[in-house]
Amino acid sequence: MDRPRRLPLQHLVQREVGRLLAPLWIPVVVMVMRFGLGYRVAGLAEVRAKFARIREAREASGIPMLICANHLTLIDSFLVAWAISPTWRYAVHFDELPWNIPERRNFSSNLRERVSSWVMKCIPITRGGARGEVAAVLDRISTLSAAGEVALIFPEGGRSRSGRVDVENAAWGVGRIVGALPGCQVVCVYVRGRKQETWSALPARRDVLDVEVACIEPKSDAKGVRRSRDFVRQIVSQLASMEQEILDGRQ
Amino acid sequence: MDQAEVMERVVKILTPWVKNEEALASVSMDTNILEDLKVNSARLVDVVIAFEDDFDIEIADEDVDSVNKVGDAVKLILEKLG
C-alpha cells in the first residue's frame, strides 16, 4: 500500500482536537488509574524500555505498526497506553497515543460518551454489526496505519468470557488490516492484573498488572480470507503464549 | 448449479455454526446470518472458508462485506461459479 502523505481530514481534525485537550485529560486518566484505583504495573520501566526500542526501530524503518492486546476489562486500552509509554510522551508526542476501536455499545450510548471517546482518538465499531459497516471501520484503521498512525485493537473481538485468550473466536478483521499493510509489524501486548480471575469492568482495586510486550510480523502464503485468518491466528497465538508465560511465572 | 441447489448447500454448511435452530427451520434468502441465525461473527471466517472448500471458489475479504443475509451468500457463490 502506498503511504498517503496526510490523514483523511476527519481524522486529522479528531487528532488535533485531541492533542489540544490532551493536557487536560491524559494526566487525569493516569492519576485515576495510579492513585484513585491504585493500579501498579510490575516492571514498568522495563516494559516501557522494550516498547521504546520497538517504536524507535519502527520510526527508523517507516513500516506500519499495529498494537494488538488481550481483552479482559473495559479500560484495557488505557492500561495498555499507560504501560507502554510515559504519560508525558503522550502530551508531547500525541501521535504516539494509539487510536482505539471500542465497542460502540460500551462507549457511545450518549453525547458525553461520544464526545469523550472522539477526543480520546476512538473509532467506535459495532462488533457483529453489518459487514459493510465493520469493513468501513477496518478500512479506516488500515488508512490510519498506512499514514504512520498507530492503532490499538483487540483481536479477540470482545472481553474474553473464559478469562483466557480466546484463540478460537479471534476477530479475523484484524488479519484483514494486517493484510492491507505490507510488512506490518504487530506489537502484541498482554496485560493482566494479579487479582484478575476472569473478565470484568475494571481490574480489582490496588491490583498489580503484569505486562508482556512482543513484536511479530505475521506471514501467510494463503489468499483471501484464509490469509486474514492466518494473520489473526498468529497474533492471538502469540498473546496466548505470553499469557501462559505470565501465568507460569506466577506459580 | 442453480440457486436452489446453492441455497441448500449454503444452509447445510451454515448449520454447525447456527445457534438459533428455530430460525434455521424457517431459513430463507432473507434470513440474516448474524442477527437471525446467531452465527458468531468471529466464526464467519470459518463459514466463508467452508464455502470456498465446498464450492471450490476463492472469496476475497472484500467480497464478504456484502454478505449479511443467506441470500447474499448464495448470490456471491453463484457469481463466483460464473
Side-chain angles (χ1 to χ4, degrees):
Chain A
M1 177 184 284
D2 292 329
R3 293 183 64 172
R5 290 183 181 183
R6 299 180 65 179
L7 285 181
L9 183 62
Q10 68 181 120
H11 298 306
L12 190 64
V13 172
Q14 185 177 358
R15 188 187 68 186
E16 294 312 311
V17 173
R19 188 196 304 277
L20 283 172
L21 298 175
L24 300 177
W25 65 267
I26 292 179
V28 172
V29 169
V30 173
M31 297 276 272
V32 167
M33 289 193 295
R34 181 67 189 91
F35 301 108
L37 296 164
Y39 302 147
R40 190 167 65 79
V41 175
L44 181 64
E46 290 162 40
V47 171
R48 287 178 173 173
K50 191 170 186 179
F51 183 75
R53 286 194 293 275
I54 294 169
R55 187 186 60 235
E56 284 159 14
R58 178 251 180 181
E59 282 167 0
S61 64
I63 53 178
M65 184 172 88
L66 191 67
I67 299 174
C68 288
N70 66 312
H71 201 9
L72 291 170
T73 77
L74 285 176
I75 61 164
D76 284 340
S77 54
F78 293 118
L79 298 174
V80 169
W82 176 42
I84 61 175
S85 278
T87 311
W88 65 264
R89 274 202 76 95
Y90 294 130
V92 179
H93 305 282
F94 190 66
D95 298 5
E96 292 179 8
L97 183 75
W99 291 85
N100 185 28
I101 302 92
E103 163 60 51
R104 191 182 301 276
R105 286 174 284 247
N106 290 340
F107 290 99
S108 299
S109 58
N110 58 49
L111 183 62
R112 195 182 65 179
E113 285 183 2
R114 283 197 291 276
V115 171
S116 305
S117 60
W118 187 82
V119 167
M120 294 176 182
K121 290 174 80 174
C122 292
I123 302 173
I125 192 168
T126 305
R127 295 189 184 117
R131 299 309 308 163
E133 288 172 32
V134 172
V137 174
L138 298 178
D139 287 346
R140 285 166 73 180
I141 302 304
S142 299
T143 303
L144 286 168
S145 302
E149 298 284 311
V150 179
L152 163 63
I153 195 161
F154 300 105
E156 295 170 270
R159 286 172 288 164
S160 169
R161 270 34 184 176
S162 66
R164 301 292 297 267
V165 172
D166 193 351
V167 179
E168 288 303 313
N169 287 316
W172 57 293
V174 177
R176 179 172 169 174
I177 296 172
V178 172
L181 301 166
C184 176
Q185 289 202 331
V186 177
V187 181
C188 298
V189 182
Y190 187 88
V191 181
R192 188 186 192 101
R194 290 180 184 170
K195 297 175 185 169
Q196 190 81 37
E197 296 288 335
T198 180
W199 64 293
S200 62
L202 299 171
R205 277 176 175 270
R206 289 183 289 283
D207 205 354
V208 177
L209 309 167
D210 289 314
V211 181
E212 281 287 337
V213 177
C215 188
I216 63 169
E217 187 182 331
K219 294 192 183 303
S220 173
D221 293 328
K223 291 179 181 175
V225 291
R226 284 173 201 269
R227 187 162 177 260
S228 298
R229 187 177 67 170
D230 281 356
F231 288 147
V232 77
R233 278 188 173 173
Q234 288 167 46
I235 295 165
V236 176
S237 296
Q238 176 65 42
L239 288 169
S241 155
M242 294 158 81
E243 175 178 71
Q244 198 55 53
E245 272 181 40
I246 283 180
L247 295 179
D248 288 348
R250 288 179 184 176
Q251 285 174 355
Chain B
M1 197 177 295
D2 65 16
Q3 183 173 303
E5 196 180 341
V6 172
M7 172 77 175
E8 190 184 337
R9 281 169 67 174
V10 162
V11 172
K12 193 176 169 191
I13 290 166
L14 277 168
T15 299
W17 285 282
V18 169
K19 288 182 184 161
N20 182 356
E21 308 242 331
E22 240 174 68
L24 187 64
S26 57
V27 69
S28 72
M29 293 281 275
D30 285 329
T31 304
N32 190 294
I33 296 171
L34 301 181
E35 289 170 18
D36 299 329
L37 297 178
K38 305 289 181 200
V39 172
N40 182 337
S41 61
R43 306 311 297 269
L44 197 58
V45 67
D46 298 311
V47 174
V48 172
I49 288 171
F51 289 158
E52 287 188 328
D53 292 340
D54 196 82
F55 292 97
D56 195 23
I57 54 176
E58 193 177 298
I59 298 174
D61 286 297
E62 296 74 22
D63 294 331
V64 187
D65 296 346
S66 58
V67 176
N68 291 302
K69 297 175 181 176
V70 173
D72 299 329
V74 171
K75 283 176 201 158
L76 173 66
I77 290 164
L78 284 168
E79 270 175 35
K80 294 285 175 186
L81 290 171

